[in-house]
Amino acid sequence: MGRQPSAKPTSFDIAYLAGVSQPTVSRALRGSKSVSAATRANIERIARELNYTVDKNASSLRSQRTHTLALLFFEDPTPDESMINPFFLSMLGSITRQCALKGYDLLISFQQMHNDWHVAYQDSHRSDGIILLGYGDYQLYRTKLEHLVEMDTKFVRWGSVSDDSIGLTVGSDNVGAGELAGAHLVEIGRRHIAFLGDASDHAPEFQDRYTGLCRAMRAAGIAPDPGLQQGAVSSEASGYAAARSLLASGQPFDAIFAASDLIAIGAMRALAEAKLRCPPDVALIGFDDIPAASQTSPTLTTVMQDMKGAGELLVDALLRRIGGADAERTMLPAKLIKRQSTAV
């Protein structure tokens, strides 16, 4: 049995007759570019035929501030069931505190990148703006960001900061951080330095860290060997597999710079299985300074990002954007934390 029309036509009646969702009707009647011209014209025709008028009071309520920010985590491979990168869990406390200081509530949501989260949050009006953490494959993420920019959605993201960054971005100086790691390995006498991480445009932060490592090596008169770069995503399993591939290649190496601590921890296990001592045989550096980095054996030298500053900047930049003020992309310095895995 079909939908019975209401006494007073609603957007749900239009959605039924047009064969679309109610949010699509709302977007079409707002003139949103996310709805095709043909669909928008059909919806407008049905609205006229039903003598539908927008509820001004409801529209006014939707346009008011919610004093809520939405924090969207994106699924990452992890050794437990959380599917959230532990680095971002560490940043959560800083974001929450800053929201409280600014008088805002924080709505936290877990998303899968392949879902249409960018459309859902545009239509839901549950928050005044969005903070984005994590992304997996950047090329898939990029299309979602372009949609948010087109729709003038107020958002800020943590990620790689560059001149061609899409949307308002806060991130670490990943090139500088890679140089710190590379310079330290060179300083302790390592010359054959491997990199574990996806050094491509699918993972621009990892790519920047590899660029920094190569700069440090070249500055010391060492030519980086492309054969010592192995792709990996940020997980222990991927780090283990990448280190196993590196060992199987037969290429000599005396150090590894891993693009994340999780990759480094997985690599540490592969080295131990191969009876290679860390650091006498292979020095190892990770990235992120997650809690587990200080609990491995040996403890892991790593690059620490400014989590407190990051959380504060993400919230403050988003609130400036919501308020109509200019907000610039920001790059934060990182710090090398020396532990046993590079001890001399």
Side-chain angles (χ1 to χ4, degrees):
M1 186 174 178
R3 174 185 172 87
Q4 297 300 312
S6 310
K8 180 181 178 182
T10 70
S11 58
F12 290 95
D13 295 323
I14 299 172
Y16 173 75
L17 293 171
V20 299
S21 67
Q22 188 274 337
T24 298
V25 171
S26 296
R27 291 201 304 275
L29 295 178
R30 289 201 310 267
S32 171
K33 295 178 182 178
S34 66
V35 181
S36 71
T39 300
R40 186 164 60 248
N42 187 42
I43 288 170
E44 289 171 348
R45 176 186 61 78
I46 294 170
R48 287 193 300 271
E49 291 175 356
L50 294 179
N51 293 318
Y52 172 80
T53 57
V54 175
D55 185 335
K56 298 297 183 182
N57 290 329
S59 179
S60 176
L61 285 172
R62 285 194 297 269
S63 68
Q64 292 176 3
R65 298 274 178 89
T66 65
H67 288 280
T68 298
L69 302 182
L71 172 61
L72 272 59
F73 282 108
F74 293 99
E75 184 177 281
D76 264 328
T78 57
D80 56 19
E81 296 300 318
S82 70
M83 302 301 287
I84 297 175
N85 189 317
F87 167 70
F88 293 128
L89 289 177
S90 300
M91 193 187 291
L92 176 59
S94 175
I95 293 173
T96 303
R97 284 191 297 272
Q98 192 67 4
C99 283
L101 286 172
K102 298 296 183 179
Y104 273 72
D105 291 326
L106 186 65
L107 172 66
I108 300 174
S109 180
F110 182 67
Q111 301 288 328
Q112 293 180 317
M113 185 53 66
H114 63 266
N115 291 343
D116 288 333
W117 53 268
H118 57 305
V119 175
Y121 268 82
Q122 174 72 21
D123 293 333
S124 69
H125 306 287
R126 285 184 286 176
S127 67
D128 298 330
I130 306 172
I131 299 170
L132 304 173
L133 297 182
Y135 51 82
D137 186 333
Y138 181 74
Q139 294 307 311
L140 173 60
Y141 185 48
R142 183 184 182 96
T143 62
K144 315 283 190 179
L145 296 177
E146 289 170 346
H147 177 90
L148 292 178
V149 170
E150 182 184 357
M151 295 300 103
D152 195 32
T153 303
K154 305 300 186 290
F155 75 94
V156 62
R157 69 182 185 91
W158 175 264
S160 177
V161 182
S162 62
D163 291 339
D164 62 352
S165 295
I166 299 175
L168 182 57
T169 309
V170 175
S172 289
D173 177 3
N174 286 289
V175 174
E179 289 184 87
L180 283 176
H184 177 54
L185 291 171
V186 169
E187 183 183 16
I188 63 173
R190 306 304 163 123
R191 295 294 180 268
H192 304 284
I193 304 172
F195 180 82
L196 304 186
D198 183 357
S200 75
D201 59 5
H202 290 275
E205 290 174 284
F206 285 10
Q207 186 177 41
D208 287 348
R209 292 166 197 174
Y210 182 54
T211 296
L213 169 65
C214 293
R215 283 187 185 178
M217 294 178 69
R218 292 190 183 100
I222 304 169
D225 183 351
L228 293 179
Q229 187 270 321
Q230 292 283 337
V233 299
S234 190
S235 75
E236 288 184 34
S238 187
Y240 175 79
R244 288 286 300 268
S245 294
L246 182 64
L247 290 163
S249 73
Q251 293 263 85
F253 63 96
D254 55 13
I256 293 174
F257 175 32
S260 77
D261 287 344
L262 291 175
I263 293 173
I265 291 169
M268 191 178 288
R269 179 162 61 92
L271 294 174
E273 289 180 0
K275 309 300 183 185
L276 291 173
R277 299 166 300 158
C278 179
D281 298 321
V282 180
L284 179 61
I285 296 181
F287 202 104
D288 287 336
D289 195 28
I290 62 175
S294 61
Q295 299 167 11
T296 56
S297 181
T299 55
L300 181 63
T301 294
T302 186
V303 177
M304 181 177 70
Q305 303 187 77
D306 183 358
M307 291 176 288
K308 181 177 183 295
E312 293 173 355
L313 283 170
L314 284 165
V315 172
D316 290 349
L318 181 55
L319 292 180
R320 286 197 299 274
R321 178 61 58 85
I322 290 169
D326 290 335
E328 298 295 325
R329 61 176 67 97
T330 307
M331 188 182 293
L332 294 167
K335 179 181 180 182
L336 184 69
I337 306 297
K338 299 177 184 178
R339 295 196 179 105
Q340 294 169 350
S341 67
T342 58
V344 292

